[in-house]
Amino acid sequence: MKSLWSATCKIPVRKELNQNIQTDAVIIGGGMAGILTAYMLQKSGLKTVVLEAGRIGSGMTQNTTAKITSQHNLIYTDLLRQFGQEITAMYAAANQAAIDEYQALIIDEQINCHFERRPSYVYTLDNAGRLEKETSVAEKCGIPAEFTTSVTLPFPVRGAVKFSNQAQFHPLEFLSVLSQKLQIYENTKAFEIEEKTVRTENHTVTADFIILACHFPFVNVPGYYFARMYQQRSYVLALSGVPQLDGMYIGADEKGYSFRSYENFILLGGSGHRTGQNQNGGSYENLKNAAASFYPASTLMYQWSAQDCIPLDGIPYIGQFSSKTPNLFVATGFQKWGMSSSMAAARLISDLISKGDSPFKEVFTPQRFKISASVQKLAENSGKSVKGLFKGFFSIPDEQLNQIPKGHGGVVEYEGEKVGIYKDENGEIFMVSVRCPHLGCELAWNPDELSWDCPCHGSRFDYKGNLLNGPAMENLNTL
Ligand SMILES: Cc1cc2nc3c(=O)[nH]c(=O)nc-3n(C[C@H](O)[C@H](O)[C@H](O)COP(=O)(O)OP(=O)(O)OC[C@H]3O[C@@H](n4cnc5c(N)ncnc54)[C@H](O)[C@@H]3O)c2cc1C
Ligand code: FES
């Protein structure tokens, strides 16, 4: 399903890579993080190339709600408890600086992308005390924060933390102009990295610096990012015929919603769940019910969903990929706040490469994560064990297939084998292996998106078994 952004902006097509090339820096992934990093590295004088598996912005960036803010729900109280005042203030500073950097870049490059300064709010219908505490911690970190009960939401709140002078924009209009300045190869998937060489299906790119900006890194070892992140999926509706909001909102309560205006639309987001844990479906229905109660006169114009990587300790992983790979960098784990984090990542990585240091290195360093021996073993063994599965696959008896009604999917077990089955509205049956080709977890059916989703690290496949989202790199085995 198309997002409002992809329906209203077409980015010019780029050629595939058709020869072996050499460059100073190669960025894998042409989303917000990759394009911004490429732009900054190029500005610093490095010859830079972007490899994009699909189209520019066609990953999570086209499905974001595109708030640019240092307000990442309630985060500062938690960061203070875990990391102390200095790191927490640095996290705030990096994200506040990102908002100003967007504005400066948009002015410099004369980008018309509906960039607007607006306040952002975290609201609660429940316990205002924790919001008052968050306000005070954020203020001490240098953020223009205040506690308020005055909001333009369609319901009263117990309280809200307001950050002034944040921003929102149209992410694809922004990328469309910025990407024109860069050497980008579309439909060019990177499959392997070996020292200074990136291999695509038919060619290689050799570079002094390689940057993984492909959302969830596909390199399992070293790095072990699969052990330090999972993915969370959320759903968005674009509604017309609604009153405008003064700013951007996100709910702090378990069933809180996200709101922002864009032209005459309101984007209403929510119904989040860990990827691979939506077997009962109903995520869009829940949001539509909320829309009907908040804005009875509204009309649904677009609906879509997306997912993001959630780091275990609340801070993205930006910097050197692993201690063993000095020329390999990564930007991931944006926990649904990848607009400001992409800018922070681009600044940090380009500073590390061009100046050898960054004031924000310590805050985001991926080296803060230590992996255990059992995790190392898992990575070494699981990949192998998945290969070759489905070899002895056989036909499933009709009585098993009849368990699945038309328009539904589910897992059928027969003689110890588990098979994912989707029966379309015409009764045609599609069978796939439910072993995730990443590290072998069992996939679960997602009725809202008609997809097979992995609860472990969030890879997704359509009902025919085609890969939709990584870290897996291959399609599913089919019958
Ligand atoms: C519902 C929702 C709402 C959100 N709203 C906000 C918001 O309001 N504000 C905010 O700050 N953040 C928000 N986020 C988060 C934000 O959208 C993401 O963090 C951000 O878009 C991630 O950008 P990225 O460049 O890292 O990833 P992506 O945009 O996914 O880009 C990665 C690119 O890499 C490519 N790729 C993958 N593998 C390979 C490979 N092997 N070779 C070559 N290319 C490859 C993909 O095709 C893709 O284009 C939201 C997230 C969700 C889920
Ligand atoms: S995404 Fe890692 S096992 Fe499925």
Side-chain angles (χ1 to χ4, degrees), residues 339-360:
M339 297 296 106
S340 60
S341 306
S342 285
M343 182 62 91
R347 172 56 62 211
L348 199 164
I349 290 172
S350 62
D351 280 355
L352 286 181
I353 290 175
S354 64
K355 301 178 183 158
D357 205 0
S358 156
F360 300 115

Side-chain angles (χ1 to χ4, degrees), residues 96-343:
Q96 279 288 115
I99 308 169
D100 295 339
E101 286 211 67
Y102 269 108
Q103 179 160 356
L105 197 159
I106 285 164
I107 292 170
D108 264 13
E109 300 290 350
Q110 301 179 3
I111 303 177
N112 188 356
C113 60
H114 291 82
F115 179 87
E116 294 170 279
R117 290 283 191 163
R118 299 263 183 128
S120 90
Y121 301 81
V122 186
Y123 70 86
T124 183
L125 310 184
D126 183 14
N127 168 9
R130 61 194 179 123
L131 272 65
E132 283 169 325
K133 169 92 172 123
E134 177 83 356
T135 310
S136 130
V137 175
E139 262 188 309
K140 285 194 189 110
C141 291
I143 293 175
E146 64 180 284
F147 180 82
T148 181
T149 50
S150 163
V151 295
T152 53
L153 288 170
F155 45 79
V157 300
R158 294 288 277 273
V161 188
K162 176 180 180 184
F163 285 13
S164 305
N165 212 23
Q166 309 292 297
Q168 60 182 33
F169 69 158
H170 186 313
L172 297 189
E173 286 178 350
F174 174 79
L175 282 190
S176 182
V177 177
L178 200 66
S179 59
Q180 284 168 19
K181 317 256 164 193
L182 302 169
Q183 188 179 350
I184 300 173
Y185 296 97
E186 288 187 328
N187 296 310
T188 303
K189 185 167 181 170
F191 282 96
E192 206 182 358
I193 299 173
E194 212 177 292
E195 297 198 353
K196 294 190 169 184
T197 301
V198 177
R199 287 183 203 288
T200 67
E201 198 175 8
N202 299 312
H203 300 286
T204 58
V205 181
T206 310
D208 292 332
F209 303 102
I210 300 171
I211 297 98
L212 280 164
C214 53
H215 196 236
F216 201 124
F218 60 87
V219 177
N220 288 328
V221 182
Y224 305 91
Y225 284 77
F226 64 85
R228 42 168 120 179
M229 295 196 298
Y230 63 95
Q231 297 204 57
Q232 248 224 334
R233 204 156 182 85
S234 306
Y235 299 76
V236 184
L237 307 181
L239 308 168
S240 67
V242 283
Q244 289 285 299
L245 299 166
D246 66 318
M248 305 163 279
Y249 289 85
I250 188 121
D253 308 328
E254 203 190 326
K255 291 211 169 139
Y257 294 97
S258 159
F259 298 79
R260 71 157 277 195
S261 295
Y262 169 75
E263 291 197 323
N264 58 342
F265 297 99
I266 278 184
L267 307 192
L268 175 66
S271 290
H273 58 80
R274 183 171 172 140
T275 303
Q277 293 184 348
N278 189 37
Q279 282 94 323
N280 296 330
S283 302
Y284 285 118
E285 273 325 296
N286 290 341
L287 266 188
K288 286 175 193 171
N289 291 340
S293 97
F294 299 151
Y295 301 112
S298 65
T299 307
L300 175 63
M301 302 302 287
Y302 302 95
Q303 64 179 52
W304 68 90
S305 70
Q307 63 191 34
D308 212 359
C309 305
I310 312 294
L312 299 183
D313 62 6
I315 295 188
Y317 301 111
I318 305 169
Q320 195 179 314
F321 182 75
S322 81
S323 57
K324 294 184 181 141
T325 51
N327 299 324
L328 181 61
F329 295 82
V330 68
T332 190
F334 294 159
Q335 52 193 346
K336 299 191 188 171
W337 298 107
M339 297 296 106
S340 60
S341 306
S342 285
M343 182 62 91

